Every structure is written in structure tokens, then in C-alpha cells.
């Protein structure tokens, strides 16, 4: 009983902290990424924090089954914008624990299933006619 | 599950998506990719059916330019042999989308070279047997795997009459943005689907074959009577592999 | 005939827990093996892009086929009204559920993405016999549990007949579905025939009964419960009849195949020139798995001896694994005919018999499935009243009369 009480308190305290951190509007984009220079994400930041997985999942079906790739909700677009680069200009994988996807997901203890298959840095190799900046 | 509702969008869904995209563009929302080319925002539809004609008379012995190009285009060359794997077995375990085959006629001794890959059937057995619907045929006739719902049961590989599919037997570290790849799912030739969606009118293998001067692979729209592909099919006698199964393949072979 | 009394398995605790520990460890090793395979990917197994389904599938299909067959004893009692079989109905149903769970576990743990099982449970393509099987398997488990309840709970006794009948129909459909997984594969010459469905049904009768016999005799022996000669004779005769049935369907399979010129090479591969597949076919499946048990159970003297019946059952199980191995692995190893009338010269992928060697983790996973099934059975008969107190002739045989 006492244990449950302590656990409950701890959970609510950490939840409150997490929520207040969000409410404070702290920015979590990685410095040096394109995203850092943008005013907001493709949707309002608060919306994206909560719903990015829904948005990406919806887009993924459109892309895989219908071949629609030009929308703003593509995972490749996320990576393109949120990836940061080291001093040599080499992109750093977004799922590293100190990077945009990795940091938050580690904090929330949620393992994203994306990067088992998807590239964690933008690669446009082998498609020379594709203009730079274009995403898949 | 969410994936059910958008698997085959009807026309209305497509139009509304297109309209939304257009609105988004007009509103000048932050959008990295200003899509000038229509293909990226248009859903694949069944007014086209992509296919290929492979003229085996032009396919050169010992040439594997198409295979190499496919490997590069789709990041297959980025696969690394796991430490401790045997060479012989690994060669049969790593993913490969095109394989060069040489066959000899038992009667005449005539030798024929050809590349063998997914035949993009109209009635694909792999799609029929897939329990989750991960193996599917796009409206434009391309047969591919939705890795997101593939559970890795490999029934599609059992059912494919061309052994065209590969199971990813290993953890994949390096992959291209345009061709996601990961352990535990099945994949096969997707007729360079990213090129289709970006409005590029060829496949990596066809380009490479042409660059070698062979032009044995002709890619195009089987439904367009004026396409070079249909013109060539009218001119040259061709056939489907495993015609007995009546799968109406998208890939046709001449001289086999 | 007296009222049948069922009792929990009264094994001495150290024996019982020892048995559970052994089975538990084997099952756990199977679990570890599957974790190893999933962690590294399937390259650590013998499976390739040519031989796609390997040893885990041999065990899984064997267990699933045997599961529906294990229910047969209960069905004979319920559907066909044979009173002497009715006391065995409970064990038969328990074993059916246990074997199915063991088999499904192996199948699921071999998936490329077992973590996506929820996808398989929520997204369906009903053109796929696999998708149908998901319903057939889960439905089977639920139905047999209901059937068991009707046997064990007096208040549900009125449902005994309908549940038993329904479960019998369901298990026939289920095995048809399992056979059709292969029967519907038009691409591969070894499959692509409807005869695989009845062949699988015949095999299920045989393998399920063999496992049932062994489990029954072991459980009864450990607990000093008598098993009368009357029921034993019935069961062993049934074993022989089922073995002959399988033999018949194997014969028909090859005759059907042989009728088409395009399959000459396939039949040659299986019967004469297929190297170790031919050996496993003749020695493992036909000789040890069918003919030898047939001879043992129908032998006028040996057939009356319990140890020969046990030996025959063991051989049937070994032969059963050999049969599924030949069907699944052999069927994939035989090269598909993509270019009839032509010989493939250069390709290490097409045109030649595919190489496959089972790896240790695959084998351990399969055996783990077996252990899991037996573990469930052992716990079941220990905690609930599955086993009749006595199967002596005077207790269960309606035709029993004291010989003078």
C-alpha cells in the first residue's frame, strides 16, 4: 500500500515535471540542424510533440501504397530537417541518444520502430538526377 | 489498425489529398520540397501499368551491369556480411533483386542469357498468400512489400514462381533513404518505385544496360499503345516466364 | 460398465517437479535459441533465400498436424459414440490444445518480426490461407476448451455432443487448412496439389495418436494406473490403420504427380536421385515411420506387447518428423521449373538442388516447442482431473466379460 502510494507520487511528480517542461516551450531541436532555424515544425510544435507518430504513420501508408511523396509529413523530411552535422559536415544519425529523435525517445523510454529499416541520415546517393534537398 | 483505411485510396481520397497538398503549397507552409513535378503528389493509378521487355538476344554473356546498377540504386551493395557468416551461405542469404541466368536449350544447345527478377504479375501469388496484406500490388501494377506490416513469415517467398524475393537475414546498418531495409522483412524488385514517384522514366537496370550499349531491357507503360515498350512488344515475339500459371506478368522476355 | 473416476496425476512431488524442471529447461533453451536467431537475424540458421522455411517449420507443422490428430480419440468417443474411448476424451483434448500451442509458439518465434504478432492479429488478407489459419487455430483452442468443459462440468454436459461434433468438423477443416498452406502453392512442383489436404489429415490421425499413446502410457505407468488390453488393442490397431492410410495417400500423391510429364524429375528426385532427401523419404518416412510400425502393431505376438506398441509409436513420431522434413525442405530444395526444356548453366540460385543444413538453434527451437506442449500437458493432468483412475478392461470396456 505504502509502496503504491510512493510510486503514485513519484509518477505524478515526474509527469508534472514533464508537462511543465513542455509548457515552458523549451526547444528540443538540435542546434545546427535546419529545424533550429525554422519558426515551427510542419505543424505547431505542441501538436507535433504529441502527434508526430500519427502524422508519420498516416503519411507512410500514403507513400507506400499510393506513391504520394510530396507532402510535408514524410519521415525523410523529418530527418532531412532535424539532422545535425559534426564539425566535418558529416550528418549525425538522428536516433543517437544525444540527437533529436534519440534524446526524447530515450527520455520517454519509447523505442521508435522507424530506424530498423529507415536511414537515420539523409542519403540521396545513386539517384543523381534528384535535385539536392528533395526528399523521398 | 490505422493502415486499413488508406491502403487503396479511392478517387475522392486522392482528390482530397491532392487538394490538401495544393492548399498547403498555396498557404506557403514551411515545406522543404517545393514539388514542381506533379508525380510526387499524385497517387499511383491504374491508367498505367509498368512493365519491361527483356530482349535476351541482346543480353550479353558475362555482363552484369543491370545487377550492379540495381545493387547501387537500391543500396543492396551496402549490405555487409555478418561476422562469422560462411561465404557460400551468405551469398544465398543476402538480398538480391536481379540475378543473371544462362540457360541452354536441351535440344538445340542454344544458350540464352537473361536477368531474372520480380515479374510484377497481374495476379501475383505472393500477394494472394500474404496473411497481413503487406505484399501488395500498387494501382500501377508494381508489386512490392509494405515493410511496416510485414511480419517476416516468408510465405510470399514460398509462393513466388520466380524465387524473386529476398528475406533480410541480418541487421542492416547502412541503408539509403529511398530504399529502407531492415532485418526480418521480405523485399524484392520494386521497379525502382522511387523513380516512378519522382517522375523519372526508367529503371536503374534499364539505364545501365543501355549505357553498356546492349539495350536489352526496355522499361515502360504496358497500357500506353504509343510507348516504345508496347511498340517493341508488337514488333518482337515475346513470352512470359511460367506462362502456364497465367499470372500475366509485367516483365516479358524475347528469345527464350 | 462402471462410472469413470478421474483423478489428478498423483506423482511423487520430487518426480513431478523433476519432470517439470527438465521440460522447463528444454523449453527455455528453445526460447533462448529463438532469441539468438531474432537478435542476430536468420543468417545464423541454415535457412536462405532458397530454402525459406527450415527446421522450425518442420517441428511447427508436425506439432500442429499432430494437435488436431490428438483430438481424434475424443472425437471417436463423442461423434462416433464408442464408449470405450470416452474416458480418454479429456486427455485427448488437453493434448490437442497443448500440442497446438507448442507448434504455434515455434511458428511465431521463427517469424522475421515476431514483435509484430499484433499486426498479424489485426490486419488480414482473406485470400491467404495463412490468415484463415490464424482463425482456425485460435478457434480450435477455444472450441476444444469448451468441449473439455462440457466433459468436465456436469452442468455443461448437455453440450457434450454438439461441442464434440463441432470440434471434430473444425479439426478436419484445420488440418485441411494446414495441408493447403502447401497445396495452394502453385509455384512449386512438390506442392500444387489438393491431395496434400487429405494427406495431412491422414498424417494428423497417425501422429496425434502416436503422441497420445506415448503420453497416456507414460502418465498411467508413472501413477500405477492400469491400462487394459482392450483399449490398448483398439489404439494400436487404429495406429496401424492410420499408418496404412498415410501410405495410401503417399502412393496416390506420387501417382498423381507421375501422370504429368513435367513432374517426372520431381518424382525421380524424391524416390531415386534426391540424395539424402531420398534416403530420409525411404528410410525415415516409409520404412521406419510407416512399414515398421505397421508390422509391429499387427504382428500377432509382438503386437500384444506394450513395449512394441511404444516402439511403434516412437517410430511413427520419428517418421512423422522425417515426412514433414521431406515435404517442406525437400519440396523447396527441388528446383522450380522456370525454363522447361532448358538447363540452367550459370546461376548458383536457379536450376540446381538447393543446399540446406539444419542449424542448432533451429533444432533447439523445434524441440523447445515439443517440450512446451508436454509441459502444458504435465501441469494440466497434475492440477485437473484429466486422467481416469483406471483404464482396466472391466472399468471401461462395455463388452467386458470375465473369461472363464
Amino acid at each position: 500500500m505504502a509502496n503504491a502510494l510512493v510510486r503514485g507520487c513519484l509518477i505524478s511528480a515526474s509527469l508534472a515535471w514533464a508537462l511543465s517542461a513542455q509548457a515552458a516551450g523549451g526547444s528540443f531541436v538540435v542546434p545546427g540542424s535546419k529545424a533550429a532555424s525554422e519558426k515551427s515544425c510542419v505543424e505547431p510544435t505542441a501538436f507535433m510533440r504529441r502527434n508526430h507518430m500519427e502524422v508519420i504513420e498516416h503519411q507512410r501508408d500514403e507513400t507506400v501504397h499510393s506513391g504520394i511523396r510530396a507532402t510535408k509529413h514524410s519521415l525523410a523530411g523529418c530527418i532531412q530537417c532535424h539532422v545535425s552535422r559534426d564539425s566535418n559536415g558529416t550528418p549525425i544519425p538522428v536516433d543517437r541518444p544525444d540527437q533529436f529523435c534519440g534524446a526524447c525517445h530515450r527520455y520517454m523510454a519509447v523505442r521508435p520502430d522507424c530506424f530498423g529499416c529507415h536511414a537515420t541520415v539523409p542519403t540521396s546517393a545513386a539517384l543523381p538526377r534528384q535535385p539536392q534537398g528533395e526528399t523521398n | 489498425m490505422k493502415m486499413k483505411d488508406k491502403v487503396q485510396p479511392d478517387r475522392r481520397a486522392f482528390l482530397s489529398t491532392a487538394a490538401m497538398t495544393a492548399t498547403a503549397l498555396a498557404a506557403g507552409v514551411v515545406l522543404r520540397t517545393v514539388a514542381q513535378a506533379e508525380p510526387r503528389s499524385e497517387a499511383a493509378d491504374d491508367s498505367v501499368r509498368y512493365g519491361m521487355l527483356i530482349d535476351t538476344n541482346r543480353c550479353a554473356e558475362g555482363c552484369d551491369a543491370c545487377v550492379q546498377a540495381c545493387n547501387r540504386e537500391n543500396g543492396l551493395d551496402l549490405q555487409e556480411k555478418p561476422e562469422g557468416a560462411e561465404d557460400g551461405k551468405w551469398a544465398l542469404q543476402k538480398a538480391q533483386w536481379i540475378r543473371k541466368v544462362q540457360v541452354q536449350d536441351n535440344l538445340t544447345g542454344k544458350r540464352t542469357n537473361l536477368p531474372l527478377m520480380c515479374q510484377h504479375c497481374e495476379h501475383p501469388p505472393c500477394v494472394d498468400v500474404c496473411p497481413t496484406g503487406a505484399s501488395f500490388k500498387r494501382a500501377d501494377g508494381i508489386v512490392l512489400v509494405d515493410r511496416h506490416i510485414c511480419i517476416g513469415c516468408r510465405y510470399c517467398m514460398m509462393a513466388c514462381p520466380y524465387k524473386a524475393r529476398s528475406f533480410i537475414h541480418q541487421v542492416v546498418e547502412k541503408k539509403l533513404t529511398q530504399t529502407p531495409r531492415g532485418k526480418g522483412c521480405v523485399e524484392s524488385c520494386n521497379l525502382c518505385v522511387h523513380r516512378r514517384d519522382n517522375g523519372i522514366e526508367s529503371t536503374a537496370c534499364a539505364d545501365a544496360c543501355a549505357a553498356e550499349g546492349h539495350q536489352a531491357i526496355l522499361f515502360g507503360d504496358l497500357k500506353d499503345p504509343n510507348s516504345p515498350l508496347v511498340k517493341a512488344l508488337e514488333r518482337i515475339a515475346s513470352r512470359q516466364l511460367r506462362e502456364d500459371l497465367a499470372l500475366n506478368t509485367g516483365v516479358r522476355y524475347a528469345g527464350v | 460398465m462402471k462410472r469413470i473416476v478421474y483423478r489428478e496425476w498423483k506423482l511423487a512431488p520430487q518426480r513431478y517437479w523433476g519432470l517439470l524442471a527438465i521440460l522447463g529447461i528444454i523449453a527455455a533453451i528453445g526460447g533462448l535459441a529463438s532469441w539468438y536467431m531474432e537478435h542476430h537475424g536468420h543468417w545464423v540458421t541454415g535457412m536462405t533465400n532458397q530454402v525459406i522455411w527450415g527446421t522450425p517449420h518442420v517441428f511447427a507443422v508436425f506439432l500442429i498436424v499432430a494437435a488436431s490428430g490428438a483430438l481424434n480419440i475424443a472425437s471417436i468417443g463423442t461423434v462416433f459414440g464408442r464408449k470405450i474411448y470416452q474416458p480418454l476424451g479429456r486427455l485427448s483434448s488437453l493434448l490437442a490444445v497443448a500440442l497446438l500451442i507448442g507448434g504455434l509458439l515455434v511458428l511465431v518465434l521463427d517469424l522475421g518480426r515476431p514483435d509484430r504478432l499484433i499486426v498479424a492479429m489485426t490486419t488480414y488478407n482473406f485470400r491467404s490461407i495463412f490468415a484463415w489459419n490464424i482463425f482456425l487455430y485460435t478457434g480450435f483452442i477455444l472450441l476444444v476448451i469448451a468441449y473439455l468443459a462440457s466433459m468436465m462440468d456436469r452442468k455443461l454436459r448437455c453440450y457434450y455432443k454438439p461441442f464434440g461434433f463441432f470440434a471434430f468438423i473444425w479439426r478436419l477443416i484445420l488440418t485441411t487448412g494446414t495441408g493447403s498452406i502447401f497445396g495452394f502453392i502453385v509455384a512449386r512442383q512438390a506442392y500444387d496439389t489438393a491431395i496434400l489436404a487429405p494427406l495431412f489429415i491422414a498424417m494428423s490421425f497417425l501422429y496425434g495418436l502416436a503422441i497420445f499413446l506415448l503420453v497416456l502410457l507414460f502418465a498411467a505407468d508413472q501413477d500405477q494406473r492400469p491400462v487394459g488390453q482392450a483399449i490398448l488393442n483398439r489404439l494400436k490397431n487404429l495406429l496401424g490403420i492410420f499408418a496404412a492410410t498415410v501410405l495410401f495417400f503417399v502412393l496416390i500423391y506420387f501417382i498423381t504427380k507421375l501422370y504429368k510429364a513435367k513432374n517426372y524429375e520431381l518424382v525421380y528426385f524424391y524416390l531415386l536421385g534426391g540424395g539424402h532427401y531420398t534416403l530420409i523419404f525411404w528410410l525415415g518416412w516409409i520404412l521406419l515411420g510407416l512399414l515398421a510400425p505397421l508390422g509391429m502393431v499387427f504382428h500377432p505376438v509382438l503386437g500384444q506387447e506394450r513395449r512394441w506398441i511404444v516402439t511403434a509409436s516412437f517410430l511413427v513420431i520419428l517418421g512423422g518428423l522425417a515426412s514433414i522434413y521431406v515435404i517442406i525442405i525437400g519440396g523447396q530444395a527441388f528446383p522450380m521449373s522456370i525454363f522447361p526444356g532448358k538447363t540452367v548453366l550459370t546461376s548458383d540460385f536457379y536450376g540446381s538442388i538447393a543446399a540446406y543444413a539444419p542449424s542448432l538453434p533451429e533444432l533447439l527451437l523445434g524441440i523447445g516447442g515439443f517440450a512446451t506442449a508436454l509441459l502444458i500437458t504435465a501441469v494440466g493432468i497434475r492440477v485437473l482431473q484429466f486422467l481416469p483412475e483406471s483404464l482396466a478392461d472391466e472399468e471401461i470396456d462395455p463388452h467386458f466379460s470375465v473369461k472363464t
Side-chain angles (χ1 to χ4, degrees):
Chain A
M1 193 62 209
N3 263 343
L5 198 68
V6 170
R7 203 180 302 140
C9 286
L10 278 174
I11 290 171
S12 42
S14 53
L15 263 178
W17 184 80
L19 285 172
S20 65
Q22 275 202 349
S27 173
F28 294 98
V29 291
V30 180
S33 65
K34 249 181 227 165
S37 62
E38 303 289 350
K39 272 204 183 108
S40 91
C41 196
V42 291
E43 303 289 346
T45 307
F47 175 84
M48 286 306 281
R49 276 190 190 145
R50 284 188 182 283
N51 300 303
H52 63 281
M53 56 303 230
E54 305 281 339
V55 169
I56 296 169
E57 194 187 352
H58 181 79
Q59 175 59 36
R60 118 196 159 183
D61 293 337
E62 299 261 286
T63 303
V64 176
H65 291 267
S66 314
I68 296 171
R69 298 182 187 240
T71 79
K72 54 185 179 169
H73 292 152
S74 84
L75 178 66
C78 304
I79 294 163
Q80 182 89 22
C81 196
H82 282 285
V83 74
S84 68
R85 286 161 201 275
D86 64 13
S87 49
N88 302 325
T90 315
I92 308 168
V94 289
D95 63 338
R96 291 251 182 97
D98 59 338
Q99 294 298 305
F100 183 70
C101 300
C104 197
H105 272 273
R106 192 172 69 151
Y107 176 71
M108 300 304 283
V110 177
R111 198 180 64 89
D113 202 18
C114 310
F115 303 115
C117 296
H118 284 281
T120 51
V121 291
T123 61
S124 55
L127 197 56
R129 273 167 294 180
Q130 193 179 5
Q132 266 302 308
E134 185 123 2
T135 57
N136 284 278
Chain B
M1 282 310 272
K2 202 137 285 129
M3 55 272 311
K4 258 187 276 175
D5 48 13
K6 280 295 169 222
V7 169
Q8 279 293 337
D10 56 20
R11 201 166 170 76
R12 185 175 300 173
F14 152 55
L15 284 174
S16 71
T17 316
M20 266 166 51
T21 315
T23 323
L25 282 169
V29 182
V30 182
L31 191 62
R32 284 289 117 214
T33 319
V34 181
Q36 236 81 33
E38 289 303 309
R40 287 179 62 82
S41 54
E42 274 174 20
D45 68 283
D46 59 4
S47 64
V48 296
R49 181 174 178 216
Y50 292 115
M52 296 204 279
L53 170 65
I54 292 162
D55 188 346
T56 59
N57 298 311
R58 292 165 169 269
C59 182
E61 183 169 349
C63 170
D64 67 346
C66 55
V67 179
Q68 298 300 336
C70 174
N71 289 353
R72 264 195 315 280
E73 176 87 8
N74 296 297
L76 292 159
D77 56 345
L78 299 175
Q79 296 177 96
E80 285 160 345
K81 187 172 82 113
E83 217 170 299
E86 304 159 32
D87 287 332
K89 198 165 77 174
W90 170 242
L92 301 172
Q93 286 178 326
K94 70 175 179 194
Q96 194 171 340
W97 290 5
I98 307 183
R99 291 188 172 87
K100 270 298 293 282
V101 183
Q102 188 184 49
V103 295
Q104 182 171 38
D105 193 287
N106 292 343
L107 191 68
T108 63
K110 186 198 171 207
R111 292 187 179 193
T112 312
N113 297 289
L114 54 95
L116 192 53
M117 72 292 275
C118 171
Q119 303 288 300
H120 298 279
C121 312
E122 186 193 353
H123 308 291
C126 58
V127 173
D128 284 347
V129 301
C130 177
T132 66
S135 185
F136 72 104
K137 191 181 63 161
R138 249 169 54 141
D140 54 9
I142 299 178
V143 176
L144 68 166
V145 178
D146 181 353
R147 314 188 81 94
H148 304 108
I149 52 174
C150 173
I151 57 172
C153 73
R154 285 107 81 201
Y155 197 12
C156 56
M157 300 176 70
M158 290 292 283
C160 175
Y162 310 100
K163 287 212 278 193
R165 288 210 155 166
S166 298
F167 179 66
I168 304 302
H169 287 77
Q170 76 283 9
V171 178
V172 181
E173 294 293 347
K174 293 182 200 154
K175 44 230 164 185
L176 300 178
T177 299
Q178 64 203 21
T179 317
R181 171 170 298 117
K183 170 172 69 76
C185 293
V186 174
E187 59 180 46
S188 57
C189 161
N190 56 24
L191 282 181
C192 290
V193 70
H194 50 277
R195 291 189 177 213
R196 299 291 72 68
D197 296 343
N198 285 307
I200 301 169
E201 286 299 327
S202 69
T203 60
C205 53
D207 281 355
C209 191
E212 288 288 314
H214 301 312
Q215 292 181 317
I217 304 176
L218 187 57
F219 170 83
D221 177 7
L222 290 166
K223 282 189 177 169
D224 176 5
N226 298 316
S227 70
L229 175 61
V230 174
K231 295 274 182 225
L233 283 166
E234 281 170 6
R235 205 172 59 245
I236 312 168
S238 68
R239 69 177 198 89
Q240 311 169 34
L241 298 182
R242 295 290 323 250
E243 260 163 342
D244 56 320
L245 299 176
L247 303 172
N248 190 10
T249 57
V251 179
R252 306 295 173 95
Y253 288 84
V256 187
Chain C
M1 203 177 109
K2 298 170 189 168
R3 196 171 77 86
I4 305 297
V5 182
Y6 297 88
R7 282 265 185 279
E8 292 86 349
W9 205 28
K10 294 243 166 39
L11 213 56
Q14 54 272 48
R15 262 190 103 74
Y16 173 70
W17 288 107
L19 178 72
L20 282 203
I22 292 169
L23 291 174
I25 287 168
I26 298 174
I29 290 173
L32 277 178
S34 88
W35 177 82
Y36 173 74
M37 281 161 56
E38 294 307 335
H39 180 74
H40 290 278
H42 275 63
W43 70 266
V44 298
T45 72
M47 290 177 260
T48 61
N49 288 328
Q50 280 184 307
V51 177
I52 297 138
W53 286 350
T55 308
H57 301 82
V58 173
F59 278 89
V61 170
F62 177 82
L63 286 169
I64 289 167
V65 163
S68 53
L71 189 70
N72 211 38
I73 309 304
S75 301
I76 297 172
T78 312
V79 180
F80 302 102
R82 298 298 154 92
K83 285 234 156 32
I84 191 169
Y85 289 94
Q86 284 178 4
L88 300 173
R90 295 183 180 186
L91 179 64
S92 157
S93 309
L94 172 70
L95 199 56
V97 172
L99 288 170
L100 190 67
I101 291 174
L104 286 181
L105 211 57
V106 176
L107 205 59
V108 164
L109 287 178
D110 179 76
L111 289 177
R113 299 292 307 248
D115 52 319
R116 291 205 183 135
L117 195 59
I118 188 74
V119 175
M121 297 301 221
T122 49
T123 322
Y124 292 106
N125 163 33
F126 283 107
R127 279 185 69 88
S128 167
I129 188 74
F130 247 30
W132 283 89
N133 278 342
I134 293 169
F135 286 97
L136 288 173
Y137 295 154
T138 45
F140 180 82
I141 292 175
L142 295 177
L143 198 56
V144 174
I145 289 173
Y147 181 30
L148 258 175
S150 78
M151 286 187 239
M152 300 176 86
D153 189 337
R154 280 195 173 281
K155 274 177 279 180
L156 298 172
R157 191 72 192 172
C158 52
Y159 298 113
Y160 174 62
K161 276 261 170 194
F163 279 174
F165 189 77
F166 201 33
F168 175 65
I169 300 289
W170 194 278
R171 61 114 3 235
L172 288 180
I173 299 172
L174 184 147
T175 323
T176 306
T178 312
S180 300
I181 289 176
F182 301 96
F184 288 178
I185 295 178
V186 294
R188 295 179 189 263
Q189 280 161 269
Y191 310 137
D192 185 26
T193 169
I195 194 117
L196 286 178
L199 173 64
F200 270 57
I201 292 178
M203 292 197 302
S204 83
F205 286 157
L206 181 64
Y207 307 156
L209 179 58
I211 296 178
F212 177 84
L213 256 168
L214 291 179
V215 169
L216 174 72
L217 290 177
F218 175 78
D221 272 0
Q222 291 294 311
D223 212 6
Q224 279 90 42
R225 302 191 194 198
V227 178
Q229 198 61 38
I231 184 70
L232 209 54
N233 270 339
R234 299 252 188 155
L235 291 176
K236 67 106 181 159
N237 284 341
L238 215 49
L239 196 73
I241 292 165
F242 290 158
T245 316
V246 171
L247 214 48
F248 167 76
F249 278 112
V250 173
L251 189 69
I252 298 296
Y253 170 88
F254 281 112
I255 290 175
T256 327
K257 286 288 175 196
L258 208 49
Y259 216 78
K260 295 177 188 156
K262 67 170 185 176
N263 290 327
Y264 287 173
E265 280 177 29
L266 171 80
V267 177
Y268 176 79
F269 165 77
Y270 268 144
L271 302 185
L272 292 170
H276 71 281
Y277 295 106
T278 302
L279 189 72
I280 295 173
F281 172 79
W282 284 114
L283 193 69
W285 187 1
I286 302 298
L287 195 66
L288 290 178
L290 295 174
L291 293 177
L294 254 175
M296 286 174 197
V297 297
F298 287 137
H299 191 281
V301 181
L302 303 183
Q304 299 301 313
E305 287 180 34
R306 197 184 265 217
R307 60 197 169 107
W308 284 103
I309 297 174
V310 169
T311 310
S313 303
F314 264 118
L315 286 178
V316 164
I317 292 172
L318 280 181
L321 286 168
S323 71
I324 309 279
Y325 190 90
V326 167
I327 292 172
I328 295 188
I329 313 283
Q332 295 175 84
F334 181 74
M336 281 193 261
S337 161
I338 304 174
F339 307 99
K342 293 184 170 64
T343 307
V344 178
L345 291 183
T346 54
S347 170
D348 46 4
F349 201 73
Y350 295 98
S352 52
I353 292 168
Y356 170 80
S359 64
L360 189 63
E362 292 173 76
L363 205 61
L364 292 176
L365 172 59
I367 295 171
F370 249 111
T372 308
L374 294 177
L375 192 69
I376 295 170
T377 314
V379 173
I381 58 176
R382 175 78 169 189
V383 299
L384 288 172
Q385 299 173 343
F386 283 103
L387 279 177
E389 188 105 275
S390 164
L391 289 167
D393 294 351
E394 63 269 27
E395 300 285 341
I396 60 165
D397 187 358
H399 310 292
F400 176 77
S401 58
V402 183
K403 289 190 187 105
T404 48

